[in-house]
Amino acid sequence: MDQSQENGGTMISFGNRNISDIVVNSIMGHGGGGDIFPLYFFPAYLDTAHLILETETTVIAKSATRHRRRAPLLTVRKVRESGQVVGLINAYGLKNPGVEVCARMIKKAINRGFRVIPSYSPDFSQGFDTAVQQMMESLSIYRAILGADFWALEVDGSCPNAGGSPEKNEADLMRLLYLPRRVFDICISFKYGPTNSPEFLLELEAGYLADVFNGTNTFRHKLFFPNSNRQSPLAKYGGGAYSGSIIFDSAFAINKQLRKQLRRPMIMGGGISSIDQVLEYRHMLGSRLAADQNSLSICSIIRTDPPEADRIIRAGEILLEKK
């Protein structure tokens, strides 16, 4: 990982490529160009997609698996407190059309000018050997379709709706992350969640298995309300996971602690929904801001308050710049 200070900012760099100060996670779809149904019918979403394109903001695509996965329709709800929308709850899980289709969608978005990093979610449900085979196939597909644009890959070890337990998969994830290193010289971003232990992330760092750490973006219902009888509005879909401003304080606390422990660059997010919250991160990072090359990520705010998302995207580079 090249951590040079090109352009005097905080950008995370890898060779001649970089990750922007503000990153858009998942909500631009599996292709990264604004393909989430039904959001692409809404002008505000399309306006934000155009702004992302115009500002060359890095997009991390919604996670793909080797083969297509299905999920129930309409498994997302707005969460309201005192009449105000404070986030989303979803049970999308890993619904996706499979790596090959996603890679072709990403290529189209890149050809339009979007800066997209693919995201891959390993599947251990059929055993480790099958997971290895599927990841090798996926790496080859990304390379064949994306060519030189396959310079980075996010490995998603966080999905709370994936039907597995991230904490139980950590040993397999550790072994699996050797594959991209062995096959391709690419930047590896590991997407962590609230159930991934700090010790595990430190092991990934010590083993040079991740160049960047990205999280924390969602909280499962039972994890977010552990001592409550509050029923999830998506209880029949397994409870779902929360995102948006409702999780900001919890995500900020996790990221703050991890920033003290990890030495590698981080993309920190989870509920960032306002300029003030961006400034909270800036204050927390202090003198480490440029030295560690941090980025911040947004997601749900693009759906719940597109104008505020646009303000964050436009102001992010200035707000995060070291003074």
Side-chain angles (χ1 to χ4, degrees):
M1 171 66 83
D2 173 8
Q3 297 189 33
S4 62
Q5 292 288 324
E6 293 182 15
N7 302 322
T10 64
M11 280 188 179
I12 299 171
S13 301
F14 188 84
N16 62 352
R17 306 274 191 158
N18 58 62
I19 296 172
S20 57
D21 296 317
I22 297 295
V23 173
V24 173
N25 260 327
S26 302
I27 200 162
M28 296 307 290
H30 293 104
D35 55 78
I36 290 278
F37 172 85
L39 297 186
Y40 52 67
F41 288 118
F42 301 119
Y45 179 73
L46 298 178
D47 288 345
T48 299
H50 181 75
L51 178 63
I52 289 167
L53 182 62
E54 176 187 285
T55 55
E56 298 185 342
T57 297
T58 301
V59 174
I60 299 178
K62 194 164 176 60
S63 295
T65 51
R66 172 62 186 92
H67 301 291
R68 181 180 183 182
R69 283 202 182 184
R70 299 177 182 273
L73 295 174
L74 301 176
T75 50
V76 61
R77 303 282 190 277
K78 290 181 178 179
V79 180
R80 289 180 169 83
E81 290 184 353
S82 302
Q84 299 294 316
V85 176
V86 295
L88 302 171
I89 181 170
N90 82 82
Y92 282 129
L94 286 169
K95 178 183 178 182
N96 74 94
V99 160
E100 187 165 355
V101 173
C102 290
R104 295 189 187 282
M105 293 169 69
I106 290 170
K107 185 63 175 177
K108 288 181 180 178
I110 290 173
N111 288 343
R112 291 166 55 200
F114 286 94
R115 301 175 61 208
V116 186
I117 295 174
S119 179
Y120 178 75
S121 184
D123 180 4
F124 297 111
S125 64
Q126 300 177 58
F128 181 75
D129 290 343
T130 299
V132 169
Q133 179 183 345
Q134 290 181 350
M135 188 162 191
M136 290 294 288
E137 290 173 356
S138 298
L139 289 168
S140 297
I141 289 168
Y142 282 130
R143 174 62 82 198
I145 293 174
L146 300 181
D149 290 315
F150 184 45
W151 68 274
L153 176 70
E154 177 181 85
V155 177
D156 185 356
S158 73
C159 184
N161 300 313
S165 173
E167 58 270 29
K168 291 181 181 179
N169 289 337
E170 287 181 349
D172 285 339
L173 281 166
M174 182 83 69
R175 289 193 291 161
L176 200 68
L177 280 166
Y178 281 100
L179 293 177
R181 283 280 186 253
R182 191 175 67 189
V183 179
F184 301 117
D185 179 24
I186 57 175
C187 174
I188 300 297
S189 173
F190 183 79
K191 186 175 184 180
Y192 61 87
T195 58
N196 292 122
S197 67
E199 292 77 16
F200 169 63
L201 300 181
L202 286 166
E203 283 190 68
L204 293 183
E205 181 176 75
Y208 297 96
L209 298 178
D211 298 296
V212 181
F213 292 93
N214 177 19
T216 300
N217 300 306
T218 55
F219 284 76
R220 282 179 285 192
H221 177 79
K222 290 182 179 179
L223 181 65
F224 200 62
F225 296 106
N227 302 312
S228 171
N229 292 324
R230 177 171 174 167
Q231 185 176 27
S232 166
L234 298 179
K236 66 179 180 180
Y237 299 115
Y242 293 94
S243 62
S245 59
I246 190 174
I247 71 165
F248 176 80
D249 290 342
S250 298
F252 183 86
I254 290 173
N255 292 332
K256 181 178 181 179
Q257 185 60 40
L258 287 174
R259 182 64 285 176
K260 293 177 182 178
Q261 296 175 281
L262 295 169
R263 299 173 63 186
R264 294 271 175 171
M266 292 178 65
I267 302 170
M268 291 172 282
I272 295 176
S273 304
S274 69
I275 295 292
D276 286 344
Q277 290 173 340
V278 173
L279 289 172
E280 282 192 56
Y281 271 99
R282 195 195 187 292
H283 178 72
M284 179 266 283
L285 292 166
S287 62
R288 296 191 64 177
L289 183 61
D292 291 333
Q293 292 192 292
N294 303 279
S295 295
L296 300 184
S297 69
I298 60 172
C299 180
S300 296
I301 188 65
I302 291 176
R303 180 166 187 156
T304 58
D305 190 351
E308 185 64 14
D310 292 352
R311 284 190 284 272
I312 293 171
I313 292 169
R314 289 188 185 280
E317 184 176 352
I318 298 171
L319 291 170
L320 291 177
E321 188 173 300
K322 186 179 180 183
K323 296 182 179 178

